[in-house]
Amino acid sequence: AQKVTQAQTEISVVEKEDVTLDCVYETRDTTYYLFWYKQPPSGELVFLIRRNSFDEQNEISGRYSWNFQKSTSSFNFTITASQVVDSAVYFCALSFSGNTPLVFGKGTRLSVIA
Amino acid sequence: GAGVSQSPSNKVTEKGKDVELRCDPISGHTALYWYRQSLGQGLEFLIYFQGNSAPDKSGLPSDRFSAERTGGSVSTLTIQRTQQEDSAVYLCASSLTSAGAYNSPLHFGNGTRLTVT
């Protein structure tokens, strides 16, 4: 079965704190793709990152970083020095080949308090 | 516009009525997806169109749900005999090629909020 689990339903942090959003996936495929999307209060989902199963390099983009570990089937997302504008629902997603739709987790609602 | 456009943005209907939701993908995008977002349930895949291939309908929850994509562009999601449990935000997304392709992330519309009373 293919499944994405985001165990954290809601997280609340104070501005400037670091926060990590967890994502655990299940798949029997050896080739797959992992994604993170952000859904701000406006509602439109915004693509953040894509990672394929053969590339375990961690990635940093400004205050965002992603830690992909195949050994634990996890693709966690860390926001450093969080800001109020980071408040959103964040979704982790999985795709199993080039022609299959993304399977999404249930999302983690992040609230950053000033 | 440059993004995925969905209409209407909000729809209130009575139980038992049929509704049609429209999606205009980004021009040139060959892949189109419908998802449903219910409160606390994340994004539930409904149907996927890729070019001229037969659509992947594996996510449609019942035979009351159907979708078509005319001319490889605009798509319409139809829900017949709506039920209260159909109330949700229906999201459309498009991508240049397929979901897994490196430079082909999904671009989502703002969704249609459907309320069945």
Side-chain angles (χ1 to χ4, degrees):
Chain A
Q2 294 84 24
K3 185 179 177 182
V4 175
T5 301
Q6 295 180 254
Q8 305 150 308
T9 306
E10 294 191 35
I11 300 175
S12 184
V13 298
V14 176
E15 202 171 22
K16 298 184 182 178
E17 287 185 353
D18 299 347
V19 59
T20 295
L21 310 181
D22 298 333
C23 173
V24 174
Y25 61 92
E26 295 176 28
T27 178
R28 295 178 181 173
D29 294 73
T30 55
T31 300
Y32 52 89
Y33 308 87
L34 295 162
F35 304 79
W36 276 94
Y37 280 82
K38 174 182 180 180
Q39 187 178 39
S42 60
E44 184 174 340
L45 278 94
V46 176
F47 166 76
L48 295 179
I49 190 171
R50 171 199 182 277
R51 174 69 72 227
N52 72 50
S53 55
F54 299 109
D55 182 3
E56 288 194 71
Q57 276 193 334
N58 292 327
E59 181 156 340
I60 298 174
S61 176
R63 296 183 298 106
Y64 294 172
S65 63
W66 291 269
N67 182 7
F68 176 30
Q69 292 194 341
K70 289 179 74 172
S71 61
T72 56
S73 297
S74 64
F75 186 44
N76 296 337
F77 173 29
T78 297
I79 302 174
T80 302
S82 59
Q83 300 176 0
V84 173
V85 293
D86 296 327
S87 297
V89 180
Y90 291 86
F91 291 95
C92 181
L94 173 65
S95 176
F96 312 107
S97 73
N99 284 312
T100 57
L102 270 63
V103 173
F104 285 84
K106 293 189 176 182
T108 297
R109 180 177 299 279
L110 174 64
S111 298
V112 181
I113 303 166
Chain B
V4 176
S5 177
Q6 291 187 247
S7 60
S9 55
N10 281 284
K11 176 72 176 178
V12 180
T13 190
E14 292 180 353
K15 177 182 173 181
K17 296 285 181 67
D18 298 351
V19 294
E20 286 190 351
L21 312 180
R22 178 187 167 101
C23 173
D24 280 280
I26 293 174
S27 177
H29 280 194
T30 63
L32 187 147
Y33 311 78
W34 283 98
Y35 284 86
R36 178 168 69 175
Q37 185 174 20
S38 304
L39 190 62
Q41 295 302 311
L43 275 74
E44 175 189 4
F45 165 71
L46 298 177
I47 188 169
Y48 163 47
F49 297 89
Q50 172 59 57
N52 294 322
S53 302
D56 177 353
K57 303 180 182 180
S58 60
L60 295 178
S62 78
D63 59 8
R64 297 186 295 105
F65 287 73
S66 63
E68 61 178 22
R69 187 179 186 192
T70 53
S73 181
V74 172
S75 177
T76 302
L77 176 69
T78 300
I79 308 173
Q80 296 178 310
R81 305 181 301 281
T82 52
Q83 304 294 313
Q84 288 185 331
E85 61 263 29
D86 299 333
S87 296
V89 176
Y90 289 82
L91 292 165
C92 176
S94 70
S95 63
L96 186 60
T97 56
S98 55
Y102 187 77
N103 289 318
S104 186
L106 267 65
H107 296 264
F108 282 85
N110 285 329
T112 294
R113 181 175 298 278
L114 175 66
T115 304
V116 182
T117 61

